[in-house]
Structure formats: C-alpha cells, structure tokens
Amino acid sequence: MIRINNVKIPLDCDDKTLKAAAAKELHTDSSAIKTVSLFRRSVDARKKDNIFFLCSLDVEITGSEDKIIKKAKNASKVKPYSYSVPKWQGGASPVVVGFGPAGMFAALVLAQSGAKPIVLERGRDVDSRTADVDSFWKGGAINTESNVQFGEGGAGTFSDGKLNTGTKDIRQRKVLEEFVFHGAPDEILYNAKPHIGTDKLKTTVKNLREDIIALGGTVMFETKLTGFEAKDGKISAVFAEKHGKKERIDTDSVILAIGHSARDTFEMLYDKKLPMEAKPFSVGARIEHLREKIDRAQYGRFAGHKNLGAAPYKMNVTSTDGRGVYTFCMCPGGKVVNASSEEGKLVTNGMSEFARNDRNSNAALLVGVSPKDFAGDIPLAGMYYQRDLEEKAFLLGGGDFTAPVQRVEDFINDKASSRLGEVTPSISPGYSFQNLNRILPDYVSLGMKQAIIEMGKKLKGFDDGDALLTGVETRSSSPVRILRNNDTLQSVAVQGLYPCGEGAGYAGGIISAAVDGIKCAEKIIEKSTSY
C-alpha cells in the first residue's frame, strides 16, 4: 500500500475527488488506482478565505509500487496496522478495577487473550447509569455510586467522546479500530480531532462489554473495591462489596483503573500505605459562547459547511505569575453538565452528542495548580483541595446542586451577575447568578481573567462580555499518582498490582487511558508464560 501525505482536498469532496487527487500526486492515470481511502484528515483554516482539508491517503494501485513512488513527492510504502493479541498461558483470572477506558481496554485485551478477566465496577451499567444521570439533571437526588463520574464507560461516557491524544503509541490504532468495530463512527479512524459523541459512545461501550463477556470475562456492576491482600509483597486477593454483601476474590494480578474521582478508594489505598504522591492538575470553570459565533471566528464564510461541522478551538497562555492557563475538553455545539459525584459538592464538565448541534459551544478554562498550592504535605492534599472548591461552589450556588454562573464581563469586574446576555446557560438542573471570584483562589481568578483577554486576541469573541462562566471545574486530571515501576508497570510496593490509566496518574484522556490499559494487560499476559 502507498501512503501519500499533505494532500490538499476541497471541503466538497467525494470518492472521485480523492481518486483524482491521488492520481495527480502519484503522476499516474486514475485507471491505475484500485482503491483510495482516508488515513488522516485535518482542517486547514489558517486562511479564512481558503479553508480546505489536509489529508493523508492510502492507495492501492495496479502495477509496481516502487516505480510509482519514485515519481511521487510525498509518498511511501506502508503496511496496514495490525495488533497481535498475546496468548494467555494460564493462571488465576486477573481482576480489573474500574470500567472506564483504561479498565475496559485492559479487560478487552485480557479477554481476547483467553485470560477470563473479572471486572469490578462500582457504578451501574450504561443504561441504568443514564437513567440515574437524567434523573439528577431533572432535579432528582444524586446517586453517589451512579453518576457522571462512576459507571460503565467512565467519566468520558458523559463528555464528548473526544479521542484527541498526544501519545505516539501505535496501540492507539487498536483502540480506534475496536471503537469502530463496536459501533463508533468510521470517521474516527481518519479525523485528526476525532470524537464519538455521548449518544453513540453509550452503545459502543455496551457492545465492548458484551464482547468481553462473550470471550469469557465477567463484569460485575455496583461492586466496589474495599481492600486488597498482599503476601510477601505480592497481591493475593481483593475484597469487594455489592449491596452490603462482601466477597473475596483470589488473584495474583490486579489492574487499578479506578478513575480520577474514586476519592474513597484513594483514601483506602493511602491507609494501606500504597506509595503515592500528589501531582499537578488544573482548576477553573466552564466558559460558554454561542456556537455560531465560534464557528464564524474559526471558519469565516465557510462556517456552517456540512463537512466542517461545529468548530473546535484549543488555546493556552501563561499568566503573569507564570502559571499555564488553557482551554480543555472543548465541546463544540455541546452543553455544560453537572458532573457532581458527592453530596454537598458541585463540579462541572462538558458534553456533546455526535451531531454537535446544540446552541452553545463550551470549554474548560483552567489554571495549573501544583502541590505547593495545597494545604498539607500528604499525597491526598490535592484531592482535598478539589473537594474544598467543589463544596464552596455547591454553597455559592444555593446548596441544592444549582450551579453558580457569571457573565465574563462581570467576572473580570469582580461583581455578581444580575442578568444574562446572549448566552443562556445549558447546565441542568439549574443555575443562579453569582460571583465566582468569591470561591476561586486569587491566582486562579487572575489567570483566568488574563487568559480571557489574551485568548480574545487569538479567537475573535472569546472575550465577549456576554460569554458565560459556570463553576467549578476541578477534575481535569487525577490529583494523585500511584507509584509504579516504569518497566513492569507494577506498584513499587506490591507485585501484581498495576496502577493504570488517568486515575492512577498515567494518562490524560480516553485514548491515552485505553492505551495504558492495553499495556498493563500485556504485562499480565507476559507474566502468565511462567505458569
């Protein structure tokens, strides 16, 4: 197969357009092209009067590939990616704790190898979980074990299903292909900024779970890890609880893919003296604009083109005190959601469905914080810092999960809002006008204000006074890192225990977490050869 890079393709394109472009780049006739497919597609919007797709094309031809490539400028021979699943050699069933991206893909690879993994997920299956979340967003009581943070698919199930990643690990292709095989849109295989959407992700994760079970795995919902046993420095069992019933599971391999919000589990592991450390993360609020204004700012006269969809953005600046401030988890045509998981504490996130056609676009506007900002020197200090901000947001909003909101102009001028402008809050179950400066640390407020002004110079309208802030956002990443050996991926203190994914401090998003899950699964399978 031949791959051609840096091919400019017009926005209005079809299979004939791709074939003609491939023939032109290869200096050959279209009749010599057997097949052509997109390997990668990104939007080049640097010139608003000339927006196009920049693509990599995979091409099969008749005749000699070597001869064709000699005439082409940006072409090379490639082999299609193929992941080879290692074979399980025997031993006790591995236990996977958590069924977010890391745990899900760890369990999938283990099941594909023949290992018959046992998955413990404290939350509920995706259908039951969706009902619980919908009830909460309509004003019902929060379910602290089934919410936006806990349950099948992890926190990403109620986001945008964004698959952007900085990892160069080739296993990311395995993740994308499995998502597509289990129901995700084909376009995630080639879009430079792929997303599945919350609506489609729910079906996809359910199909993944059913495949794991069909391969011999066990998935136990509403089952919470309560402890573990180690003998001679090696894991020997885990303890779990479901509806008050306690269970012991003997095993010599445990993947800890607990997610970044399993705070009681972090406390249990800390009490068990499992080595961990506080790590940097970021806090701030969601910023919300009219989608059509963001689209125009990014795409000019091409805004609204059916092949472009809602426009994303990604920006970062450095505040005057040296802190990084950036937009994160941007949701074009999406909603701000109440992502709370504890009584008396309020936290936000963003969500888009696949169509990305809601009225507003939003993103987290975050300021970096580090262990020097946390009170206390214990590894869980950052977690308590998060909790404190979330409790303040809960009380500021009125003490009933009503979210505090504020117009950007009012935030900059340090006064509570008294009205809405052109942006209507999308968060449920409700909102109240407040002053977020009252609860955010001064250095966070300062960084956000400076960033809004600077980012407005980069993206027209970002600093619009009617843009809306909703607080708070604290769970950009895990506040702790559970220490592990770089080579074996096992805990530095307990052999057979594999801290994994975003919650353990080794990933930052769906793809990188899933890749880390695969890597941990591979290490367990490799260990099985000793049986």
Side-chain angles (χ1 to χ4, degrees):
M1 180 178 290
I2 296 174
R3 181 165 297 153
I4 317 169
N5 294 314
N6 299 318
V7 183
K8 295 181 180 180
I9 302 292
L11 298 183
D12 292 305
C13 62
D14 55 21
D15 291 344
K16 289 184 179 179
T17 310
L18 295 182
K19 190 171 184 179
K24 181 180 178 180
E25 292 288 329
L26 295 176
H27 305 288
T28 189
D29 189 82
S30 293
S31 61
I33 307 292
K34 293 170 62 178
T35 65
V36 58
S37 60
L38 285 164
F39 178 77
R40 185 174 176 84
R41 182 181 72 179
S42 61
V43 177
D44 191 321
R46 288 173 293 181
K47 296 180 179 179
K48 298 296 184 279
D49 61 344
N50 182 29
I51 295 178
F52 55 86
F53 292 124
L54 192 61
C55 302
S56 294
L57 305 177
D58 281 351
V59 184
E60 289 183 302
I61 64 166
T62 58
S64 169
E65 290 185 345
D66 292 331
K67 186 176 180 181
I68 286 286
I69 287 173
K70 286 182 180 179
K71 297 187 294 181
K73 183 179 180 180
N74 296 315
S76 59
K77 291 173 69 173
V78 295
K79 290 183 179 181
Y81 172 75
S82 178
Y83 180 83
S84 180
V85 179
K87 186 176 181 181
W88 180 253
Q89 299 297 317
S93 291
V95 173
V96 178
V97 183
F99 205 48
M104 185 174 295
F105 276 86
L108 179 65
V109 169
L110 287 167
Q112 289 173 339
S113 78
K116 295 182 171 54
I118 299 169
V119 178
L120 310 181
E121 168 54 54
R122 67 187 298 169
R124 305 179 76 190
D125 66 89
V126 72
D127 291 331
S128 302
R129 179 188 184 196
T130 298
D132 292 332
V133 170
D134 286 345
S135 174
F136 173 58
W137 285 347
K138 291 175 182 176
I142 189 171
N143 185 332
T144 57
E145 297 297 333
S146 179
N147 46 61
V148 171
Q149 308 296 344
F150 300 143
E152 184 171 22
T157 301
F158 290 91
S159 64
D160 183 46
K162 275 178 287 295
L163 305 178
N164 301 351
T165 181
T167 180
K168 302 298 182 184
D169 195 300
I170 191 62
R171 295 174 183 85
Q172 66 179 285
R173 189 70 183 181
K174 162 76 169 173
V175 176
L176 294 174
E177 290 180 354
E178 289 291 358
F179 272 136
V180 170
F181 179 78
H182 290 93
D186 290 352
E187 66 180 49
I188 69 170
L189 292 173
Y190 55 79
N191 277 343
K193 296 181 178 179
H195 83 288
I196 299 177
T198 293
D199 49 338
K200 294 184 181 295
L201 193 60
K202 292 173 185 176
T203 299
T204 304
V205 300
K206 186 193 303 185
N207 291 339
L208 277 159
R209 177 239 299 170
E210 291 175 348
D211 202 7
I212 290 167
I213 293 172
L215 290 167
T218 301
V219 180
M220 302 167 65
F221 292 113
E222 301 178 66
T223 306
K224 181 178 174 180
L225 177 74
T226 58
F228 66 87
E229 177 185 86
K231 294 180 179 179
D232 300 323
K234 299 178 181 179
I235 196 78
S236 55
V238 296
F239 302 99
E241 183 174 334
K242 179 174 183 177
H243 301 159
K245 183 180 179 181
K246 298 181 180 180
E247 182 175 356
R248 173 193 173 102
I249 302 172
D250 292 321
T251 184
D252 58 6
S253 300
V254 177
I255 292 178
L256 276 179
I258 56 178
H260 58 38
S261 295
R263 292 168 171 171
D264 50 0
T265 306
F266 286 138
E267 289 174 325
M268 178 273 290
L269 297 173
Y270 179 67
D271 289 342
K272 297 277 287 185
K273 304 190 184 307
L274 194 69
M276 59 180 70
E277 64 184 10
K279 61 176 281 292
F281 55 97
S282 303
V283 299
R286 280 273 150 182
I287 187 166
E288 201 163 11
H289 302 81
L290 288 179
R291 186 193 76 213
E292 62 180 25
K293 287 198 169 183
I294 295 297
D295 291 352
R296 283 201 303 271
Q298 289 289 68
Y299 294 149
R301 66 184 178 87
F302 293 95
H305 192 287
K306 61 183 177 64
N307 289 337
L308 283 175
Y313 60 75
K314 183 178 182 180
M315 296 180 285
N316 64 82
V317 300
T318 302
S319 66
T320 52
D321 64 356
R323 293 177 188 269
V325 191
Y326 61 100
T327 62
F328 173 76
C329 186
M330 194 269 162
C331 297
K335 299 176 181 178
V336 177
V337 300
N338 193 321
S340 304
S341 59
E342 295 180 313
E343 294 283 4
K345 296 168 183 63
L346 189 148
V347 63
T348 63
N349 196 8
M351 184 183 87
S352 296
E353 295 194 339
F354 179 71
R356 287 179 164 175
N357 59 1
D358 280 328
R359 177 180 171 84
N360 298 341
S361 290
N362 72 81
L365 180 63
L366 302 178
V367 179
V369 295
S370 68
K372 68 181 181 181
D373 299 308
F374 312 150
D377 57 0
I378 66 170
L380 301 183
M383 186 185 82
Y384 297 130
Y385 176 97
Q386 291 176 326
R387 268 182 168 163
D388 179 64
L389 280 177
E390 293 168 18
E391 183 175 6
K392 288 177 178 176
F394 178 81
L395 295 173
L396 183 67
D400 59 355
F401 290 109
T402 296
V405 303
Q406 187 175 20
R407 293 175 60 251
V408 159
E409 181 181 29
D410 297 329
F411 176 70
I412 290 174
N413 291 324
D414 195 9
K415 67 176 184 178
S417 292
S418 59
R419 65 174 180 86
L420 294 176
E422 63 183 16
V423 180
T424 301
S426 56
I427 195 166
S428 297
Y431 62 88
S432 64
F433 295 124
Q434 302 293 342
N435 184 355
L436 293 172
N437 291 283
R438 287 177 53 193
I439 61 172
L440 293 171
D442 289 343
Y443 50 84
V444 174
S445 290
L446 174 66
M448 291 172 62
K449 291 172 185 178
Q450 293 178 346
I452 288 169
I453 294 169
E454 289 303 310
M455 290 176 181
K457 298 174 183 177
K458 299 180 180 182
L459 180 64
K460 183 179 179 180
F462 188 84
D463 57 348
D464 192 309
D466 276 349
L468 200 70
L469 292 167
T470 307
V472 290
E473 177 124 355
T474 60
R475 304 193 197 179
S476 58
S477 64
S478 180
V480 303
R481 179 174 291 109
I482 304 173
L483 302 183
R484 73 184 188 188
N485 183 286
N486 290 335
D487 295 323
T488 67
L489 306 187
Q490 297 177 77
S491 162
V492 296
V494 182
Q495 291 184 40
L497 190 63
Y498 297 79
C500 180
E502 189 164 344
Y506 295 98
I510 291 175
I511 293 291
S512 59
V515 166
D516 201 50
I518 293 173
K519 290 164 65 176
C520 288
E522 290 171 348
K523 290 295 184 182
I524 290 175
I525 298 166
E526 180 184 316
K527 187 176 66 173
S528 77
T529 60
S530 63
Y531 287 95

